[in-house]
């Protein structure tokens, strides 16, 4: 492997521009935008791409909040993936270790995507500068990806061919521990089931009504009974989007429930979806209503790539853990004081590390092959991993025990500890990209590993071809 040290130029390039990208992360934190509405956030990233000299493509895959910047000539194409969408209901004042929502729309960066996108763009910028300085053949691309939180934008981007000529992809996610991300996630699909019945007076003529709300309740009961008879690693959740009205004396004629169906792998997902659809049909039959199913989004499970993971692990060994200081640890301890002991112990258990009292931040790299009790979610990065060899890092930016999608994540999103973790992630991704460009055998082995994993089960995009991204209008203040 290419020898890199702490004084290697690729890390010096990241250090040289770190403040501009920390500022970018903070600006995105200050304008939290939801799924497909990230107009100000993508504008900030697009402006930075132009300032850093990238060739910029906007409106990628027909999505106004997706952008790609490319630099370099010839050679392999290395994609570095960023995100910048926020979450609803997680508004929080930065640097305050108690719930304190900010005035405004109530959104907040409760998953750290303000850091995710900024670090990815910093990594791509460092690689761009390294390519220019060394004269190496190769291209680096920054992919600004919206709507990871429930919008599956990368699935649409893969389907549209945005990754067709990419040789390898690299990304990361803010976390409580630092390590190579074990490629474990659940494929999922979100489906809205809308039942249509017949309204009537609930007291004077109940026999004439056919309740759409009754159909939803029966469907939910059926799905709950199904849980006993599905794989233990599958998941089914639901939320009633429209209960049919607020008048109890009217038989609800129309109601909608959204189902989120998850499975360890795509074939299992498709099988489980068919069972849920049958339950919906049965509920409609029992209530003499009609049901319409509409797919909202879908993502694939993550595929591993051992050669790229080896390369990233080697970069972690050379760079070590995030260099937090006493002030970082003091604020992290305040955040931990808002958590339960179970929160903290569960976090340690998820990575297989013994609990360390009095250590609020992870300043080391978790040994790669430790086996914990993973808490598995879903990500649209999975679809990219089915298209090209992909590797991900997790880097500590927040206190150990911090639950994902919480106000505590938002509170830590602009702190010096978050900026240090963000810079660390940029260095790891840049080093892995340099390795992929410099070592032809690494890319060859990564592609061979990818083909071996997909040969028997070729990629089938879980997103039906008729489903399009639920684009949001540009708000007046972002025009």
């Amino acid at each position: 492997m290419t020898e890199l040290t702490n004084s290697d130029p690729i890390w010096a390039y990241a250090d040289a521009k770190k403040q501009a990208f920390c500022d970018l992360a903070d600006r995105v934190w200050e304008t939290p935008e939801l799924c497909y509405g990230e107009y100000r956030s993508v504008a900030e990233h697009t402006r930075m791409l132009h300032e850093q000299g990238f060739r910029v493509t906007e409106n990628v895959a027909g999505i106004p909040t997706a952008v790609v910047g490319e630099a370099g000539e010839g050679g392999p194409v290395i994609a570095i993936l960023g995100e910048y969408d926020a979450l609803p209901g997680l508004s929080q004042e930065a640097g305050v270790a108690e719930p304190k929502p900010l005035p405004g729309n109530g959104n907040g960066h409760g998953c750290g995507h303000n850091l995710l996108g900024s670090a990815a763009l910093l990594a791509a910028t460092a690689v761009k500068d390294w390519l220019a300085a060394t004269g190496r053949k190769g291209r680096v691309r920054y992919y600004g990806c919206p709507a990871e939180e429930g919008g599956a934008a990368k699935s649409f981007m893969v389907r549209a061919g945005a990754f067709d000529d990419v040789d390898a992809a690299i990304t990361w996610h803010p976390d409580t521990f630092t390590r190579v991300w074990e490629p474990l996630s659940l494929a999922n699909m979100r489906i809205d089931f809308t039942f249509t019945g017949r309204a009537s007076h609930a007291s004077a003529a109940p026999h004439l009504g056919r309740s759409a709300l009754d159909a939803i309740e029966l469907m939910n009961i059926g799905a709950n009974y199904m849980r006993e008879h599905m794989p233990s690693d599958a998941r089914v959740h639901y939320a009633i989007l429209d209960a049919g009205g607020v008048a109890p004396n009217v038989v609800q004629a129309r109601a909608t429930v959204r189902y989120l169906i998850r499975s360890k792998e795509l074939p299992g997902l498709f099988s489980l979806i068919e069972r849920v659809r049958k339950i919906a049909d049965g509920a409609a039959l029992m209530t003499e209503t009609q049901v319409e199913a509409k797919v909202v989004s879908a993502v694939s499970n993550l595929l591993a790539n051992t050669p790229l993971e080896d390369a990233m692990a080697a970069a972690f060994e050379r760079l070590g853990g995030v260099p937090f200081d006493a002030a970082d640890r003091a604020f992290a301890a305040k955040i931990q004081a808002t958590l339960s002991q179970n929160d903290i112990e569960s976090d340690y258990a998820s990575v297989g590390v013994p609990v360390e009292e009095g250590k609020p931040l992870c300043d080391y790299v978790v040994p790669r092959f430790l086996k914990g009790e993973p808490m598995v979610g879903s990500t649209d990065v999975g679809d990219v991993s089915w298209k090209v060899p992909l590797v991900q890092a997790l880097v500590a930016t927040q206190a150990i025990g911090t639950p994902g999608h919480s106000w505590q994540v938002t509170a830590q999103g602009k702190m010096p500890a978050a900026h240090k973790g963000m810079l660390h992630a940029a260095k790891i991704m840049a080093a892995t990209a340099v390795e992929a460009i410099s070592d032809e055998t690494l890319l060859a082995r990564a592609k061979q590993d990818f083909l071996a994993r997909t040969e028997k089960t070729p990629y089938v995009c879980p997103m039906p071809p008729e489903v399009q991204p639920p684009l949001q209008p540009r708000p007046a203040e972002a025009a």
Side-chain angles (χ1 to χ4, degrees):
M1 287 196 172
T2 304
E3 286 297 322
L4 296 177
T5 68
N6 279 325
S7 61
D8 188 89
I10 193 60
W11 289 332
Y13 288 130
D15 280 326
K17 295 184 175 179
K18 63 182 179 181
Q19 190 57 54
F21 288 87
C22 289
D23 293 344
L24 172 63
D26 288 354
R27 291 197 300 275
V28 172
W29 185 97
E30 290 161 5
T31 57
E33 298 167 299
L34 306 184
C35 185
Y36 293 107
E38 311 92 338
Y39 287 97
R40 288 172 293 183
S41 300
V42 75
E44 291 287 353
H45 280 246
T46 302
R47 187 178 302 113
M48 184 65 84
L49 285 167
H50 283 297
E51 288 177 2
Q52 297 300 324
F54 286 86
R55 302 182 292 271
V56 179
T57 302
E58 300 183 57
N59 200 41
V60 177
I63 301 172
T65 54
V67 65
V68 169
E70 181 181 270
E73 302 292 341
V77 177
I78 308 300
I80 301 181
L81 313 182
E83 298 165 9
Y84 31 71
D85 57 323
L87 287 158
L90 294 178
S91 173
Q92 168 66 27
E93 184 173 335
V96 176
E98 63 178 3
K100 193 174 182 181
L102 292 169
N105 58 21
N107 302 335
H109 273 284
C111 204
H113 291 183
N114 62 307
L115 303 167
L116 199 167
S118 298
L121 184 44
L122 175 55
T125 300
V127 176
K128 175 189 72 69
D129 293 348
W130 175 82
L131 286 169
T134 61
R136 286 271 190 177
K137 291 293 185 183
R139 284 169 285 167
V140 62
R141 284 191 196 148
Y142 170 70
Y143 282 76
C145 306
E148 190 276 335
E149 300 290 0
K154 294 184 196 67
S155 301
F156 289 112
M157 293 166 75
V158 169
R159 194 180 71 180
F163 295 90
D164 282 358
D165 63 343
V166 171
D167 290 286
I170 304 167
T171 191
W172 81 293
H173 203 285
D175 199 63
T176 53
F177 288 96
T178 298
R179 66 194 194 277
V180 177
W181 191 344
E182 182 183 1
L184 183 61
S185 74
L186 299 178
N188 81 43
M189 182 176 286
R190 296 169 191 250
I191 307 176
D192 287 352
F193 292 93
T194 298
F195 292 87
T196 303
R198 187 186 309 138
S200 72
H201 195 296
S203 179
H207 58 291
L208 299 179
R210 297 295 181 267
S211 173
L213 183 58
D214 284 355
I216 284 179
E217 292 187 282
L218 287 168
M219 180 182 178
N220 293 346
I221 291 169
N224 286 336
Y225 274 103
M226 184 185 70
R227 295 176 194 277
E228 183 183 355
H229 307 288
M230 67 185 198
S232 59
D233 51 16
R235 299 286 186 271
V236 177
H237 336 284
Y238 55 80
I240 298 176
L241 305 185
D242 176 8
V246 296
N249 59 336
V250 177
V251 173
Q252 295 89 346
R254 185 178 175 87
T256 301
V257 62
R258 175 168 294 176
Y259 265 73
L260 175 50
I261 306 159
R262 307 189 200 236
S263 182
K264 188 175 180 180
E265 296 177 342
L266 279 175
L269 174 66
F270 295 138
S271 173
L272 198 56
I273 287 167
E274 288 308 306
R275 295 177 67 187
V276 173
R277 286 180 182 272
K278 289 177 182 178
I279 290 171
D281 290 340
L285 183 64
M286 285 187 285
T287 53
E288 294 187 326
T289 58
Q290 302 296 315
V291 63
E292 177 186 1
K294 179 182 178 182
V295 174
V296 177
S297 67
V299 302
S300 303
N301 56 293
L302 282 166
L303 276 189
N305 192 277
T306 301
L308 289 181
E309 290 158 17
D310 289 343
M312 180 173 278
F316 269 124
E317 288 176 11
R318 296 190 296 270
L319 189 60
V322 183
F324 297 118
D325 60 23
D328 299 328
R329 287 186 281 274
F331 182 70
K334 291 181 180 179
I335 290 291
Q336 280 195 330
T338 72
L339 308 174
S340 71
Q341 188 62 26
N342 186 53
D343 289 328
I344 297 169
E345 291 176 356
S346 179
D347 204 10
Y348 275 104
S350 71
V351 294
V353 174
V355 176
E356 294 185 68
E357 299 295 338
K359 194 176 186 70
L361 285 167
C362 172
D363 56 6
Y364 55 90
V365 179
V366 175
R368 184 168 168 203
F369 296 108
L370 282 181
K371 292 296 181 184
E373 301 171 5
M375 300 171 190
V376 186
S378 302
T379 172
D380 60 4
V381 175
D383 285 271
V384 182
S385 76
W386 279 83
K387 188 67 177 178
V388 300
L390 179 140
V391 64
Q392 295 188 83
L394 292 176
V395 178
T397 59
Q398 56 209 31
I400 295 171
T402 303
H405 295 194
S406 66
W407 68 263
Q408 287 95 336
V409 176
T410 312
Q412 297 173 82
K414 292 177 69 178
M415 298 300 289
H419 292 158
K420 289 170 186 171
M422 186 192 104
L423 174 61
H424 216 71
K427 289 181 176 181
I428 289 297
M429 290 186 288
T432 307
V434 164
E435 190 72 30
I437 292 169
S438 303
D439 184 353
E440 293 181 1
T441 67
L442 172 57
L443 274 185
R445 286 181 282 115
K447 291 179 179 180
Q448 185 178 15
D449 183 283
F450 173 80
L451 290 173
R453 295 177 190 275
T454 57
E455 186 176 15
K456 290 185 179 180
T457 310
Y459 174 62
V460 176
C461 181
M463 195 79 69
E466 70 275 8
V467 177
Q468 299 301 315
L471 304 180
Q472 301 300 307
R474 184 185 299 272
E477 63 270 19

